[in-house]
Amino acid sequence: MRWFGPLSLSKTVVNTVRCYTSSSIGSYGSFHKNHTYELRICAENGFLFYGKALHAHMLKAVPRTDLFLSNSLANMYSKCMCMEDACRVFDEITHPDVVSWNTIIGGYFISGSKVLASRWLRRMLLCGVLPDQFTLSGLLKGCISAGDLGIGLQSHALSIKVGLGGDAFVGSGLVEFYAQFNCLDELRKVSDGLVYKDAVFVNTMIGVLAKSGNLAEAVENFKWILASLLAPTRASFVNFLSAVDNCDALEMGMQIHGSVIKFGFESDGCVENSLVGMYANCDAMGHASDMLIYTGSSNVMSWTTLIDGYASSGFLQDAMELFCLVYNELSVIDNILLACILGVSATSECLDLGTQVHSIALRAGFESDLCVMEALMDMYAKCSSMEITLKIFCQINDHHSLFSWTTVISGFVHNGFPNEALVSFCKMRTEGVDPDSVACISALMACTNLHSVDQGEQIHAFIIKGGFETVIYVQTALLSLYVDGGDLSGVRKVFGKMHRRDVISWTALISGYTKLGYHEEAVDSLFKMLQEGVEPNQFTLASTVTACTKLTATEIGEFIHSLIIKSGFETHKVVGSALIDMYSKCGKIGNAIKYFKEMPKSDIVLWNALLAGYAQHGYCSEVLRAIEEMQIYGVEPDCVTFLAVLSGCSHGGFANEAIKYFILMSEKYQISPMTEHFSCIVDAFGRAGMFKEAVEFIEGMKIEPGIVILRTLLSSCIVHGCIQLGLAVAAKMIMLGKCDTGTYVLLSKLFSVGERWNDAKKVREVMETKCLEGKKVGRSWI
């Protein structure tokens, strides 16, 4: 069946208006019936303009409409949020009935004017019109949407007063209302107070109790249906199964599956889909797959749920293979299934699968389906094909939605084009599409990548204007922006305004403090976080351990280590490397070694932390032994590994071993050396007094020696009293324009070693003249 879209509906209404305007009216009954139908279409779709046209024609054709038609008019204006006209129609009714009053009261609730809705309810009671079950049900739904507990409680009291407290229809509304506000005790009282409970009410109870985690009570209500000889309906099963979402409740879900088969609902598409969703939520994908294969299901909705379940559980390959089975053997496909598998392609960044699904979509005639087109945009953006993403975006030029704009913006950020992301953000607003919190987060990420706090502050202002400042994910993105930009005041302002601080926001604050050098504040924040009852994660603890390392606060670090063990994160590589680094730099290399021995030996990050610790303490033999042992465990070294090894060799004066591993790094592991690696070799030669080899090595480098390498050689010249070479190195640094405070200090020391005191004094005078912003050597800042 193909449903009418808004455009076809509007044409239907227009044609009807023209028809009635240009032809005779015919019988009054036909006129009444057709206009009521058309007004209902206008009300359901918000066609205020056509509704007014029909109203004008009715006034022309019939001087005075009856009560039923007037109620239809008032309903149309209410649903179209035009309450002034709805009230005008109501005032023209001679004897308004309860339906008339319900229309106005419900209209005000829909438009968000709960105060006016309450006034009209009072006015209705003063006029002697008693509310019916639809009045009270509408009031309760309005309270749910408005989040108003007070008026809902008054509505409950009113239902009891007018004798509808035991009505099953009102009871269903009360159950939904109390469930919304988590008032389970009141909900149970409503259920106990009902004399007659129909299947609709009990199904509502089952759904509410199951979703709130009270599966045992939901089962009792399900048993009540069976005991009262009421046959369970589709809603009974769907409501219950949709709430079974953990492995502990799997057995209960399987019992309900047995009831589904017993009462003959296994062929019902909605129930079958709910069963698949239940098994997926309980990590029992095999049960769901076997069920569909056994029944030979051709329900595309169920297969889509199964594929999505595999993808959500991380089994992307299984999801892809299942899609191939569905497409090739079952030949069932729709736009939702295509969007689902395109989401799998996007998550796995598998461009080949995405392009194949794209061709399937074209062959199946979904090339103009907005759902599929937007899923294709998302897939290509996440697979680093922004050019194709933009082509599809241009193809849907007349239907640019918030989702499509957000996909483009986030795609630019994901692919490293932050400037283009911000330009797209501005274009979206120009087209009249208001960004939501997700689009704002992407724009903030672009500003963070650009290190542009100024632009980020403009986005922040827009966020405040749009009312997104209280969204926790937006607040976390703002924290990242201000941390990256070094704006500590901005960090504190954003964090201070957060009403709900979760572990992510606390971690952002602590890592920000650590990054900006406020290590004491980082440690204090961890303790405040614990006082608020928020459990830290591995990244929170790793950042705090790093702060302790900078403070050399071993005792606090050991306390956090105990907290790490208690929290179960001691085997996490980020935490482990931070702990090894902390113990090494705080002079407790024995603790670092002991901790490393208790860890898995398959992680390169932990090995690198241990090697760096050995190197810092000058344990060259241990460094060489550790890298050999690391390779025995099958762990391949990386550039950080070799940096630690070369540093250890240079500190130990093992120049030959340093050259050996430098060559091994380049030739065997194909790792291009960086400046730090070159500097370690020069330092190793310098410490060993092998200046000829050091100079030859520098001249043979494929890169221009920078200030780090030259300063390393100059320091060795000072240690060994090699004045002439030192002067040549200093001259090279001056020629390259690399003269900073450190260079002048080293040159002054070089002259002092050669007992050229006047030259040393002149260098210091030049330094004090040219480097006024630097610290004066030999003079404390304190």
Side-chain angles (χ1 to χ4, degrees):
M1 179 182 237
R2 192 173 180 84
W3 295 97
F4 290 114
L7 183 61
S8 60
L9 278 170
S10 61
K11 287 180 178 177
T12 303
V13 176
V14 170
N15 291 336
T16 304
V17 172
R18 287 175 179 168
C19 175
Y20 281 116
T21 306
S22 58
S23 62
S24 59
I25 297 173
S27 66
Y28 180 77
S30 174
F31 176 89
H32 180 279
K33 181 180 178 181
N34 286 312
H35 275 69
T36 302
Y37 171 72
E38 298 301 340
L39 285 170
R40 182 162 58 84
I41 291 177
C42 293
E44 291 173 354
N45 294 276
F47 294 150
L48 179 62
F49 175 80
Y50 301 115
K52 285 186 174 182
L54 282 168
H55 189 183
H57 174 66
M58 290 162 60
L59 291 173
K60 182 180 178 181
V62 182
R64 194 170 191 84
T65 57
D66 65 1
L67 178 62
F68 190 80
L69 207 52
S70 295
N71 285 341
S72 298
L73 275 169
N75 179 63
M76 183 273 296
Y77 283 121
S78 295
K79 293 287 176 60
C80 292
M81 306 285 189
C82 192
M83 291 307 301
E84 186 177 346
D85 288 334
C87 292
R88 197 173 287 127
V89 171
F90 178 89
D91 291 338
E92 292 176 357
I93 301 175
T94 307
H95 299 289
D97 62 0
V98 68
V99 176
S100 312
W101 289 100
N102 288 349
T103 301
I104 302 300
I105 295 169
Y108 275 121
F109 261 119
I110 292 171
S111 61
S113 303
K114 59 182 181 181
V115 175
L116 291 173
S118 301
R119 287 178 185 173
W120 274 82
L121 175 62
R122 231 177 268 117
R123 183 178 164 189
M124 170 185 176
L125 296 172
L126 290 172
C127 290
V129 179
L130 292 179
D132 62 2
Q133 62 266 43
F134 300 104
T135 315
L136 295 164
S137 178
L139 279 171
L140 291 168
K141 287 181 180 178
C143 293
I144 291 172
S145 60
D148 194 315
L149 177 62
I151 296 179
L153 293 172
Q154 293 175 29
S155 302
H156 189 182
L158 179 63
S159 68
I160 297 171
K161 186 176 180 180
V162 298
L164 292 173
D167 184 82
F169 187 73
V170 176
S172 297
L174 285 167
V175 165
E176 292 180 6
F177 167 73
Y178 283 124
Q180 177 70 23
F181 292 95
N182 202 29
C183 300
L184 295 182
D185 290 337
E186 298 299 325
L187 182 149
R188 294 184 183 99
K189 288 179 183 177
V190 170
S191 177
D192 295 339
L194 289 180
V195 178
Y196 172 74
K197 301 174 186 177
D198 60 10
V200 175
F201 175 83
V202 180
N203 288 338
T204 305
M205 282 289 294
I206 291 171
V208 168
L209 289 169
K211 287 177 183 176
S212 63
N214 294 279
L215 292 179
E217 289 187 66
V219 169
E220 291 302 317
N221 277 270
F222 187 82
K223 290 179 179 177
W224 182 90
I225 289 181
L226 302 180
S228 61
L229 303 179
L230 288 173
T233 64
R234 169 196 292 176
S236 308
F237 295 112
V238 172
N239 286 355
F240 188 90
L241 291 169
S242 62
V244 180
D245 57 358
N246 59 74
C247 299
D248 296 335
L250 177 59
E251 185 177 351
M252 194 176 296
M254 295 179 73
Q255 292 177 11
I256 298 299
H257 189 175
S259 298
V260 168
I261 296 172
K262 178 180 178 181
F263 288 97
F265 282 94
E266 68 271 21
S267 60
D268 185 284
C270 289
V271 176
E272 181 187 74
N273 183 55
S274 297
L275 281 168
V276 173
M278 181 272 293
Y279 282 123
N281 291 334
C282 295
D283 293 330
M285 301 304 303
H287 287 73
S289 179
D290 292 344
M291 180 187 74
L292 293 184
I293 292 172
Y294 176 77
T295 59
S297 174
S298 60
N299 182 8
V300 65
M301 180 170 58
S302 299
W303 287 106
T304 303
T305 302
L306 182 61
I307 292 171
D308 183 63
Y310 274 117
S312 300
S313 301
F315 302 110
L316 301 180
Q317 185 64 36
D318 296 294
M320 295 175 189
E321 291 175 358
L322 190 60
F323 172 75
C324 294
L325 169 71
V326 171
Y327 177 69
N328 293 321
E329 297 188 17
L330 302 179
S331 300
V332 289
I333 194 170
D334 67 356
N335 58 342
I336 306 300
L337 176 59
L338 289 171
C340 177
I341 196 63
L342 285 169
V344 174
S345 306
T347 303
S348 60
E349 297 185 6
C350 183
L351 183 59
D352 290 339
L353 174 66
T355 52
Q356 291 178 41
V357 176
H358 191 175
S359 64
I360 290 172
L362 294 175
R363 285 199 300 270
F366 290 102
E367 66 275 7
S368 59
D369 186 275
L370 188 59
C371 177
V372 174
M373 298 289 273
E374 290 180 338
L376 281 167
M377 285 177 57
D378 183 57
M379 182 274 295
Y380 282 117
K382 289 178 179 173
C383 292
S384 303
S385 297
M386 280 305 296
E387 185 177 351
I388 304 179
T389 300
L390 294 175
K391 283 183 179 179
I392 299 173
F393 184 71
C394 292
Q395 290 175 14
I396 57 174
N397 188 46
D398 296 333
H399 303 284
H400 286 168
S401 64
L402 175 59
F403 180 83
S404 59
W405 273 112
T406 305
T407 301
V408 170
I409 296 167
S410 60
F412 276 132
V413 175
H414 176 73
N415 290 286
F417 301 106
N419 281 314
E420 288 79 357
L422 292 177
V423 170
S424 298
F425 185 82
C426 294
K427 285 182 178 177
M428 174 176 65
R429 295 183 59 196
T430 304
E431 284 197 7
V433 179
D434 292 327
D436 63 355
S437 58
V438 178
C440 290
I441 289 171
S442 296
L444 287 172
M445 290 173 64
C447 295
T448 304
N449 293 343
L450 289 169
H451 309 290
S452 176
V453 177
D454 291 340
Q455 287 181 294
E457 286 176 338
Q458 294 179 32
I459 304 293
H460 191 174
F462 177 81
I463 287 168
I464 295 171
K465 185 178 179 181
F468 304 127
E469 197 179 19
T470 58
V471 178
I472 193 164
Y473 299 110
V474 174
Q475 292 170 329
T476 304
L478 284 168
L479 282 175
S480 299
L481 168 73
Y482 289 122
V483 166
D484 187 80
D487 187 351
L488 186 62
S489 63
V491 172
R492 287 171 172 164
K493 284 180 183 177
V494 172
F495 191 80
K497 291 181 180 179
M498 298 178 76
H499 299 294
R500 185 170 64 90
R501 299 165 179 171
D502 63 0
V503 63
I504 297 174
S505 54
W506 275 107
T507 303
L509 178 70
I510 292 170
S511 62
Y513 276 138
T514 303
K515 181 180 179 181
L516 297 175
Y518 295 88
H519 306 301
E520 291 183 5
E521 287 82 350
V523 176
D524 289 341
S525 296
L526 176 68
F527 291 118
K528 289 177 182 176
M529 173 184 178
L530 294 171
Q531 288 173 358
E532 288 193 10
V534 180
E535 293 292 329
N537 62 19
Q538 61 269 37
F539 303 106
T540 323
L541 296 167
S543 295
T544 315
V545 170
T546 302
C548 293
T549 305
K550 301 295 183 181
L551 292 169
T552 60
T554 314
E555 291 184 1
I556 300 175
E558 289 175 339
F559 168 77
I560 296 172
H561 189 176
S562 65
L563 183 62
I564 288 167
I565 295 171
K566 184 179 179 182
S567 303
F569 294 122
E570 68 271 20
T571 58
H572 196 279
K573 64 181 180 181
V574 176
V575 175
S577 61
L579 281 170
I580 293 171
D581 186 55
M582 186 266 294
Y583 283 125
S584 299
K585 288 181 177 176
C586 291
K588 292 195 172 185
I589 186 67
N591 288 16
I593 296 169
K594 181 181 178 182
Y595 176 74
F596 177 81
K597 288 180 178 179
E598 297 173 355
M599 295 287 287
K601 303 296 186 295
S602 58
D603 201 303
I604 185 65
V605 176
L606 297 175
W607 281 103
N608 288 343
L610 180 68
L611 288 166
Y614 280 139
Q616 288 162 8
H617 286 264
Y619 297 161
C620 182
S621 300
E622 285 78 1
V623 168
L624 299 178
R625 191 183 304 113
I627 190 172
E628 296 295 335
E629 186 181 357
M630 180 181 78
Q631 294 177 75
I632 292 173
Y633 279 100
V635 181
E636 289 285 317
D638 59 9
C639 62
V640 179
T641 310
F642 282 107
L643 182 60
V645 172
L646 295 177
S647 176
C649 291
S650 67
H651 288 161
F654 291 4
N656 293 330
E657 284 78 4
I659 286 294
K660 170 189 169 184
Y661 281 101
F662 184 84
I663 295 171
L664 190 70
M665 174 181 72
S666 304
E667 294 184 356
K668 181 178 179 180
Y669 294 100
Q670 303 298 312
I671 298 173
S672 299
M674 298 182 296
T675 302
E676 291 81 0
H677 297 101
F678 288 116
S679 179
C680 287
I681 299 298
V682 173
D683 185 51
F685 282 133
R687 287 174 185 267
M690 302 167 65
F691 289 105
K692 181 181 177 181
E693 290 81 355
V695 172
E696 289 176 352
F697 179 79
I698 292 173
E699 290 176 347
M701 286 166 44
K702 295 180 180 180
I703 63 172
E704 184 71 24
I707 188 171
V708 176
I709 296 173
L710 295 174
R711 187 180 287 169
T712 301
L713 183 58
L714 181 55
S715 298
S716 298
C717 291
I718 293 170
V719 172
H720 291 275
C722 191
I723 309 300
Q724 295 303 317
L725 178 59
L727 291 173
V729 173
K732 177 73 172 177
M733 295 170 75
I734 293 170
M735 287 174 60
L736 293 173
K738 303 296 184 182
C739 286
D740 57 4
T741 306
T743 304
Y744 283 115
V745 170
L746 291 174
L747 184 55
S748 175
K749 286 183 178 181
L750 183 66
F751 283 129
S752 298
V753 169
E755 298 183 354
R756 295 169 58 173
W757 308 112
N758 289 332
D759 291 333
K761 182 180 179 181
K762 288 178 182 178
V763 170
R764 287 180 177 269
E765 289 173 353
V766 172
M767 180 185 69
E768 292 183 2
T769 303
K770 291 189 175 182
C771 306
L772 295 176
E773 299 299 323
K775 172 185 175 294
K776 293 184 179 181
V777 178
R779 299 183 187 180
S780 175
W781 270 336
I782 301 174

